[in-house]
Amino acid sequence: IIPTGKPTPTPLPSVLPTPVDYQHAGHDGKTTLWVVFVIMVIASAVFAGLSWRVPVSKRLYHIITTLITIFAAISYFAMATGHGVAVNHIKIRHTHNHVPDTFTYVDRQVYWARYIDWTLTTPLLLLDLSLLAGLNGAHILLAVIADIIMILTGLFAAFGSEGTPQKWGWYTIACIAYLVVVWHLAVHGRAQAQARSNQVATFFASIAGFTLLVWTAYPIVWGLADGARKVSVDGEIIAYAVLDVLAKPVFGLWLLITHSKMSETNVDLGGFWAHGLGRE
Ligand code: RET
């Protein structure tokens, strides 16, 4: 023991108040996490394989889309092995007439690894759609940053305390950011796609419409699961699993197959993409 002359700090209380309920993943949830991990690995291999069949100049969507499923595979591996999850110790206030408020606690698992995944993959999904529509750099930047704000404020909401503005306050901020994203796709994206060609406009309308439907289900699942705690942790894992498979592998396959058949979807980044800077 090295004497330092400093006073000993007061120890932190060693036990948190006992929760009345502990909501955590069970067998079905854990199995689902492994199944989606495998789906994401297979999708990554398929997308990488498809990229080798086209020249480098046509590979931008393939590379972005493969990275999306690789990030998802990594995040699902973490969650399936029990990483990237924390316990939210939720304080619930009970108000009574004439007597002071009382509190009980509910513990619930929060898989924060999802939010790391979404912070990286939703901007890449937006990039796919933006390049397809032919959005300009200014609009792409704003859509991507609004999207990152949406995910990170959603993460704060997931750990927010009940009965304070934290939880639903962060949720509201996230929803406003989501509306900014929707605005960019539905208004600017659609107009730009129309300016490219009729074929691109039709394809953009279907794939962006599909994206909006699937993405809008996420805040609904969040509200029922983390928000109102009406859905179990297993139910939440399964709901996000279905959405993630639609938003990543299904979206990706649709985009890459259509891209291979429709040359108007090509992205022109000048000589840079295929040849490097300073060589034309
Ligand atoms: C949260 C909660 C806060 C409010 C909103 C949300 C939106 C999340 C979205 C997620 C999309 C994820 C995708 C994953 C890919 O696999 C953070 C749930 C608006 C839109 C597409």
Side-chain angles (χ1 to χ4, degrees), residues 68-240:
I68 291 168
T69 49
I70 288 177
F71 280 133
I74 293 171
S75 134
Y76 269 93
F77 182 78
M79 296 191 288
T81 58
H83 267 153
V85 57
V87 175
N88 192 12
H89 191 61
I90 307 155
K91 187 176 181 176
I92 298 163
R93 180 195 299 268
H94 305 274
T95 49
H96 316 278
N97 293 329
H98 313 303
V99 275
D101 294 354
T102 53
F103 298 94
T104 52
Y105 291 81
V106 169
D107 280 358
R108 184 180 170 105
Q109 282 186 320
V110 175
Y111 281 91
W112 52 262
R114 303 189 183 287
Y115 295 85
I116 311 276
D117 166 342
W118 297 348
T119 305
L120 297 165
T121 56
T122 52
L124 290 173
L125 288 163
L126 285 180
L127 192 58
D128 264 341
L129 288 172
S130 302
L131 293 169
L132 175 65
L135 273 189
N136 61 41
H139 286 146
I140 297 178
L141 186 64
L142 278 177
V144 162
I145 288 180
D147 176 87
I148 294 174
I149 291 175
M150 167 184 86
I151 302 296
L152 295 183
T153 53
L155 174 60
F156 275 97
F159 284 101
S161 294
E162 219 138 296
T164 75
Q166 274 184 349
K167 188 172 180 173
W168 295 106
W170 283 126
Y171 183 82
T172 309
I173 295 173
C175 287
I176 295 170
Y178 180 50
L179 293 180
V180 176
V181 174
V182 172
W183 168 265
H184 276 91
L185 288 186
V187 177
H188 299 304
R190 224 156 38 139
Q192 284 302 118
Q194 192 59 57
R196 287 191 76 183
S197 83
N198 274 337
Q199 254 192 318
V200 171
T202 310
F203 175 48
F204 180 81
S206 349
I207 198 164
F210 169 80
T211 302
L212 287 186
L213 278 182
V214 172
W215 284 38
T216 303
Y218 284 84
I220 297 172
V221 170
W222 194 100
L224 294 173
D226 272 314
R229 281 179 282 100
K230 293 248 186 290
V231 169
S232 67
V233 173
D234 275 359
E236 172 190 319
I237 291 175
I238 294 167
Y240 283 140

Side-chain angles (χ1 to χ4, degrees), residues 24-110:
H24 59 94
H27 175 266
D28 293 353
K30 287 176 192 163
T31 310
T32 306
L33 292 172
W34 279 115
V35 169
V36 180
F37 164 68
V38 172
I39 294 176
M40 293 299 177
V41 169
I42 295 172
S44 305
V46 169
F47 296 161
L50 288 176
S51 86
W52 292 331
R53 300 165 48 153
V54 298
V56 173
S57 61
K58 291 191 72 172
R59 276 186 202 166
L60 185 47
Y61 295 115
H62 294 77
I63 290 175
I64 296 171
T65 310
T66 309
L67 289 173
I68 291 168
T69 49
I70 288 177
F71 280 133
I74 293 171
S75 134
Y76 269 93
F77 182 78
M79 296 191 288
T81 58
H83 267 153
V85 57
V87 175
N88 192 12
H89 191 61
I90 307 155
K91 187 176 181 176
I92 298 163
R93 180 195 299 268
H94 305 274
T95 49
H96 316 278
N97 293 329
H98 313 303
V99 275
D101 294 354
T102 53
F103 298 94
T104 52
Y105 291 81
V106 169
D107 280 358
R108 184 180 170 105
Q109 282 186 320
V110 175

